[in-house]
Amino acid sequence: MAFRARVLSGSQCLSRSVRGYSAFASNTTVFKDVPPLRAYRNELLKQDRTVGLVPTMGALHEGHTSLVRMAAAENTDVFVSIYVNPTQFGVNEDFASYPQTLESDLKMLQTIDRELASTRGSGRISAIFAPNGKTMYPTLLPSSEIDGQGSFVTITPLATLLEGATRPVFFRGVATVCTKLFNICTPDRVYFGQKDVQQTIIIRRMVKDFHIGTEVRIGATKREEDGLALSSRNVYLGARRRAVGTVLSQTLMAAESAYLKGHTSRSEVLGAAEAIWMDTLKRQKKLQPSQRALFEVIYVSLADPDTLEEIDVVDETKGAVLSGAIKMLPIEDPQPREEKGQGDGKVPVRLIDNILLPPRA
Ligand code: AMP
C-alpha cells in the first residue's frame, strides 16, 4: 500500500506529461517525457523492485507480447517503450509508412496487464514510454544519411554485416536509440526477440563494450502456424505475397535439417537452402502476373554465432547462425477482389528470419 501511495503521488506530478493519454489501468502510466519516468524509476529502485524493459516500435503482435510476458515473469515491473525510431531507417526506406497503431497497442497491453494481475508471482506492466522525436533526440534529429551528423552509437564491424550490408544506417540507429532507452529506464533486464538475431548480438556487444548495467534476455521467435515469423510489416503482404512469404522459413528449415543430418560444410548447408528458394521462385515465375508473387533474395547466410562473419564449415562446438532476408516485390496486375494488404500490395516488404544451429558435442 505504501508503495502504491508513493507512486501515485509521483504520477500526479507526471500527469501533465501524459497529455493525450491517461493512466489506462490503475497499475500503468503512459509517459511521454524523461524526467517523470526517471522519477518513477527511482521510486521503484527505492522499493527494491526490478524493471524489465521491452523496447518496441509499436504495431504490437504476439512476438512483442511474448517478450512482455517473459519480462513480467522475471521482474516486478515491466516497461514497454513504443517509438518508431527514424534514425534506423535509411533515406529510401519505409519510415513514413511504418504502421503506427498506438491506441490499439495500448489496449493490447492493457489486456495483457489484466492477465498478469491474475497470474501469481507475475510482475505488471507499470510504465509505457511513448516519447516523441524531440524527447528522444533533444538537440538535433540526426540525419539518416550514412555520413550524417548527430550523436550516434556505432558497433562495428557487426553493424556492417548481413542486414547492415544493405541497410548501412540501420544498426547505428538501433544502437543509438537503445542506448538512450537504457539510459532513461535503467532497466535491470532488457528483452529482445530472437527474430532479429543480429540485433540481439549487437545489443549484447554494446552492453558489454559500454559496461551498461543491464542483463540482455532473448525470447524465442513467434511464428504463424505455417512458419512465417510474426512481424509488424506483415500487414503489407496481402494474401498472395503472404502465401509465398513462407519461402524464407522453409529455406532456413531446409538448411537446418541438412545440419541436423550431420552436414557442416557451407555448400551442403546453404545448398539445401538454395534448392528451396530457387524452386519456389521458378514456380512463381511460371504463373500469370495476376497470380504470382515474386521476391528477391537479399542474403542467405551461414555465420559464426559471435562475430556473424560468414563461415565455410560449422564449428560443431559453437554451432552457427543461419539467417536470411528476402524482399517481397509489389504485386503485379492486382485483381479487384484480391486481398492486397495495407498499401494495396504496392509496398515492397522485407522479411527476415533466422535459425540457430545448436552446438553438438
Ligand atoms: P520491433 O517493434 O520490430 O522493433 O520489435 C521489438 C522487439 O520485438 C524486438 O526485440 C524484436 O526482435 C521482437 N520481435 C519482433 N517480432 C518478433 C517475433 N516474431 N518473435 C519474437 N520477437 C519478435
Side-chain angles (χ1 to χ4, degrees):
M1 266 335 267
F3 169 72
R4 286 295 304 157
R6 273 220 260 173
V7 174
L8 277 181
S9 65
S11 56
Q12 274 155 8
C13 67
L14 311 181
S15 58
R16 263 170 293 138
S17 68
V18 294
R19 226 169 326 172
Y21 310 100
S22 53
F24 66 70
S26 58
N27 198 57
T28 312
T29 307
V30 182
F31 295 88
K32 295 199 78 187
D33 291 324
V34 175
L37 180 54
R38 280 233 166 97
Y40 180 56
R41 174 65 180 110
N42 282 340
E43 286 298 322
L44 297 180
L45 201 60
K46 285 184 211 153
Q47 300 285 327
D48 270 343
R49 299 182 68 120
T50 55
V51 169
L53 169 67
V54 183
T56 81
M57 297 209 298
L60 301 182
H61 51 67
E62 242 181 83
H64 300 110
T65 57
S66 66
L67 295 177
V68 170
R69 290 178 209 281
M70 187 176 170
E74 298 179 353
N75 301 276
T76 58
D77 290 78
V78 180
F79 287 13
V80 180
S81 65
I82 299 180
Y83 177 63
V84 184
N85 173 37
T87 66
Q88 68 192 65
F89 291 79
V91 274
N92 295 318
E93 291 182 16
D94 58 346
F95 173 61
S97 64
Y98 195 86
Q100 300 224 32
T101 57
L102 186 60
E103 286 307 316
S104 58
D105 291 345
L106 294 180
K107 278 198 193 111
M108 194 184 279
L109 292 172
Q110 183 174 20
T111 307
I112 292 172
D113 189 55
R114 281 206 204 98
E115 272 173 45
L116 295 175
S118 55
T119 309
R120 234 178 117 204
S122 170
R124 299 282 298 272
I125 304 170
S126 68
I128 292 170
F129 183 43
N132 63 24
K134 183 72 187 155
T135 297
M136 289 307 276
Y137 293 93
T139 316
L140 167 74
L141 185 64
S143 140
S144 282
E145 304 284 346
I146 297 168
D147 55 359
Q149 304 294 312
S151 305
F152 292 120
V153 177
T154 55
I155 312 289
T156 56
L158 283 174
T160 63
L161 306 170
L162 301 172
E163 284 296 288
T166 45
R167 306 182 70 193
V169 302
F170 178 53
F171 288 113
R172 180 181 72 181
V174 169
T176 300
V177 81
C178 286
T179 300
K180 289 165 186 272
L181 291 170
F182 296 0
N183 284 339
I184 293 165
C185 301
T186 61
D188 295 281
R189 298 179 188 85
V190 290
Y191 293 81
F192 288 87
Q194 179 59 41
K195 151 93 176 1
D196 298 281
V197 63
Q198 191 172 4
Q199 176 166 273
T200 66
I201 292 170
I202 286 176
I203 295 294
R204 277 196 199 285
R205 178 75 60 87
M206 183 180 97
V207 163
K208 179 180 174 195
D209 284 354
F210 288 99
H211 299 280
I212 300 176
T214 196
E215 184 188 348
V216 181
R217 305 278 295 133
I218 311 297
T221 303
K222 291 285 165 191
R223 300 176 180 281
E224 304 280 6
E225 258 175 31
D226 61 6
L228 181 77
L230 300 186
S231 163
S232 304
R233 289 188 170 97
N234 290 354
V235 293
Y236 292 109
L237 285 172
R240 207 196 298 183
R241 295 189 294 180
R242 167 69 188 78
V244 178
T246 51
V247 66
L248 181 55
S249 56
Q250 284 162 2
T251 293
L252 297 176
M253 283 192 290
E256 178 193 36
S257 115
Y259 173 74
L260 295 178
K261 280 185 198 137
H263 298 295
T264 52
S265 77
R266 183 176 186 83
S267 60
E268 285 163 323
V269 174
L270 290 191
E274 192 175 281
I276 298 291
W277 70 255
M278 282 184 68
D279 179 61
T280 307
L281 192 55
K282 209 187 294 168
R283 278 189 284 116
Q284 288 299 309
K285 282 183 173 167
K286 281 190 189 145
L287 297 173
Q288 296 299 318
S290 60
Q291 291 178 312
R292 68 191 181 188
L294 299 183
F295 59 90
E296 285 169 6
V297 174
I298 303 168
Y299 62 85
V300 179
S301 155
L302 180 66
D304 179 277
D306 303 317
T307 65
L308 288 180
E309 300 285 351
E310 294 301 312
I311 53 178
D312 288 328
V313 180
V314 182
D315 173 345
E316 292 175 70
T317 63
K318 286 167 92 178
V321 177
L322 262 175
S323 64
I326 64 172
K327 180 154 83 176
M328 299 300 306
L329 299 175
I331 57 170
E332 302 161 275
D333 195 5
Q335 299 300 293
R337 276 210 275 275
E338 182 173 3
E339 195 277 288
K340 303 183 199 69
Q342 267 183 46
D344 268 346
K346 292 180 190 145
V347 182
V349 186
R350 186 181 179 108
L351 302 178
I352 65 169
D353 200 350
N354 69 86
I355 295 177
L356 293 184
L357 299 184
R360 48 189 172 213

